[in-house]
Amino acid sequence: MTEFDNRLEKLKRPKLLVRAARIGAALYKPERDLRRIMVLYQITNTADILTQLLEKEAEIDSVRRRVATQWGKYDPARHIELLAAIIWEARDTAQLRAL
């Protein structure tokens, strides 16, 4: 099992976020959406893209957990967008079912 597979396996999020992200993944178009999500879109290697997406998602999940009671600091739409991108980019990875 690779380090990447381990990260996906450990990715546990609230069911509502995952459900919304799965719907978003069905509508996801990397040529349109990835530029908005990531600053460095020039990366074409899926593993590198997923690594960056997972890092960004971990940051936003950390904010969600820390400031769950403070409105304005956590952006659930952004979080769903990142999860949708991860689901789409990892669509061929068996560990995706761990979500």
Side-chain angles (χ1 to χ4, degrees), residues 23-78:
I23 292 167
L27 304 171
Y28 179 81
K29 294 189 184 317
E31 60 277 357
R32 176 193 65 203
D33 301 327
L34 201 53
R35 283 192 200 117
R36 184 178 62 248
I37 296 170
M38 294 175 53
V39 176
L40 302 174
Y41 181 66
Q42 294 78 16
I43 298 171
T44 57
N45 180 329
T46 301
D48 292 341
I49 290 171
L50 276 167
T51 298
Q52 284 196 12
L53 287 170
L54 285 166
E55 288 171 6
K56 288 180 179 294
E57 193 279 333
E59 290 172 13
I60 202 165
D61 192 61
S62 175
V63 171
R64 176 185 67 85
R65 291 170 188 264
R66 264 195 333 263
V67 295
T69 59
Q70 298 176 10
W71 289 101
K73 302 222 182 234
Y74 169 67
D75 185 355
R78 175 83 170 144

